[in-house]
Amino acid sequence: MVIKTDRGFEHPTPSDITPREVFESRRRLLQGLALGAAGPSMALWAQRDARAMTAGPGKLAKLPGVASTIEGAVVMDKLTAYEHVAGYNNYYEFGVEKTDPARTAHTLRTRPWTVAVEGECAKPRTFGIEELLKLAPMEERIYRLRCVEGWSMVVPWVGYSVSNILRAVEPTGKAKFVEFVTLADRTQMPGLRSSVLDWPYKEGLRLDEAMHPLTLMAFGLYGEVLPNQNGAPLRLVVPWKYGFKSAKSIVKIRLLEKQPRSSWEQAIASEYGFYSNVNPKVDHPRWSQATERRIGEDGVFQRKRPTLMFNGYEAQVGQLYAGMDLRKFY
Ligand code: MTE
């Protein structure tokens, strides 16, 4: 069977196929939202349906979101199980092994929490986390996230477009880039004793990338607040870039005239460029980027998936890079 997916025409494997009840539930949900004007009861029913679909284990506070209507915000791939999303992490402040953060990040204190938004803007401001939680309606977005190391996940995030925060501070005409600075506190983060990176962990985007509606500030996943190891209380998710661009536990956002240097670029510029768009045609200097392993699909007979240009978000973000040599700007 050949089907049209958001990746184009291709043959699905059994693991590609979203279970029927989940798919139909999502379709009913989208139909329900489209019919939102028909009455609040339909919209409420649709939201309840979404919660049933992506409920977490119920150990953390609930953080529901309405299904996003932004183009590309809901991929139909099978979701990665919560236990893998919260159990297989990169968060070097809590150790360099994939299982370290889930074991050690309980020491992260997520309240009180503030985020200073400053630099090239007319109204610099420090937001409290409670203010940020109310700044814009929470949406559920189902994104692929692909790590530069060659594994990927599909996660139902809860949050809203980063553009909501940036607009609130009114960027000036000089603002061309956005830097995201994350928490670095030795009393909470055992990994800071290692000099593997120059702390705090920093990442950067061009302003137009940061303003793109798909660029998400996530506060939760699976309908609950973020587990600490996934970057509580708020983290970036840039679905068309390698996972390391998605900075966790953000404390500062700076609007800049000049391109900032991210922690990974500072550590090994030849391997981790500023752009870091998912690109199967540009190999990492030490390995191919043509395929990926979907977490939770391990097994001797499990084939690797082909990696998609811009992680499958080409239709939405390709125009941001029109005319650029993506081998040079890797
Ligand atoms: N943010 C901080 N502060 N520290 C980190 O080590 N690792 C990055 C990114 N954000 C990292 C970070 C990398 S390499 C990846 S792949 C993603 O977080 C992993 O996010 P996940 O644990 O939610 O899958």
Side-chain angles (χ1 to χ4, degrees):
M1 184 178 59
V2 179
I3 55 165
K4 171 95 171 69
T5 69
D6 52 340
R7 305 183 285 244
F9 289 93
E10 59 183 6
H11 296 273
T13 64
S15 56
D16 268 331
I17 300 169
T18 303
R20 176 181 290 274
E21 66 279 12
V22 172
F23 178 79
E24 287 185 345
S25 164
R26 281 188 211 165
R27 192 165 46 198
R28 281 201 310 277
L29 166 74
L30 293 171
Q31 283 166 349
L33 288 181
L35 290 172
S41 58
M42 178 61 91
L44 279 176
W45 170 82
Q47 281 177 34
R48 249 200 330 271
D49 201 32
R51 297 281 60 78
M53 185 179 77
T54 56
K59 290 194 186 129
L60 299 174
K62 290 215 178 322
L63 187 67
V66 295
S68 180
T69 53
I70 287 173
E71 196 199 322
V74 178
V75 298
M76 286 298 177
D77 296 20
K78 185 177 165 190
L79 299 179
T80 303
Y82 184 95
E83 73 200 81
H84 295 307
V85 175
Y88 189 92
N89 306 101
N90 274 335
Y91 195 167
Y92 278 20
E93 290 87 331
F94 291 101
V96 296
E97 300 299 332
K98 299 286 177 281
T99 49
D100 285 346
R103 206 168 33 78
T104 63
H106 57 89
T107 53
L108 177 67
R109 291 190 300 273
T110 58
R111 294 293 187 284
W113 193 278
T114 57
V115 181
V117 190
E118 57 188 44
E120 287 298 341
C121 56
K123 295 189 173 156
R125 186 168 147 191
T126 297
F127 294 90
I129 186 68
E130 306 303 338
E131 272 178 284
L132 282 174
L133 284 165
K134 288 189 228 117
L135 190 71
M138 288 290 166
E139 293 179 6
E140 181 173 83
R141 309 239 185 129
I142 300 176
Y143 285 172
R144 299 183 196 96
L145 187 72
R146 200 242 194 232
C147 179
V148 74
E149 296 162 343
W151 48 269
S152 62
M153 296 191 185
V154 180
V155 181
W157 301 103
V158 183
Y160 50 70
S161 300
V162 170
S163 61
N164 289 295
I165 300 175
L166 298 178
R167 270 199 217 99
V169 299
E170 298 178 14
T172 67
K174 279 190 181 167
K176 300 279 182 296
F177 295 92
V178 188
E179 182 177 55
F180 299 86
V181 184
T182 73
L183 183 73
D185 180 350
R186 277 174 169 257
T187 66
Q188 304 178 49
M189 301 172 137
L192 295 192
R193 285 196 289 269
S194 143
S195 55
V196 59
L197 286 174
D198 191 17
W199 313 111
Y201 191 101
K202 290 193 221 105
E203 261 308 337
L205 296 173
R206 246 173 28 197
L207 181 63
D208 59 345
E209 295 177 322
M211 292 296 287
H212 192 283
L214 284 177
T215 302
L216 181 72
M217 189 59 80
F219 298 83
L221 55 84
Y222 267 98
E224 298 178 3
V225 298
L226 288 171
N228 287 355
Q229 58 271 29
N230 290 83
L234 77 169
R235 54 91 55 87
L236 195 60
V237 186
V238 193
W240 70 95
K241 292 183 182 269
Y242 291 116
F244 64 88
K245 296 300 273 185
S246 295
K248 295 177 168 181
S249 308
I250 292 166
V251 290
K252 196 180 283 186
I253 300 176
R254 298 170 68 213
L255 286 141
L256 302 173
E257 194 174 355
K258 300 229 162 66
Q259 185 174 306
R261 243 169 117 71
S262 70
S263 296
W264 279 108
E265 223 185 329
Q266 216 163 309
I268 327 175
S270 59
E271 301 193 2
Y272 306 108
F274 176 79
Y275 281 92
S276 296
N277 289 319
V278 174
N279 189 340
K281 293 186 217 115
V282 176
D283 290 344
H284 183 280
R286 289 183 282 138
W287 58 80
S288 158
Q289 292 291 33
T291 58
E292 68 200 56
R293 183 172 64 89
R294 188 65 51 88
I295 296 299
E297 291 183 348
D298 307 314
V300 192
F301 300 110
Q302 187 60 54
R303 67 158 192 155
K304 283 191 161 191
R305 288 166 176 263
T307 285
L308 306 171
M309 188 64 200
F310 296 114
N311 207 19
Y313 298 92
E314 186 167 14
Q316 290 81 34
V317 303
Q319 77 284 358
L320 292 175
Y321 311 101
M324 282 178 71
D325 177 353
L326 296 179
R327 289 189 176 273
K328 190 166 162 213
F329 299 101
Y330 57 93

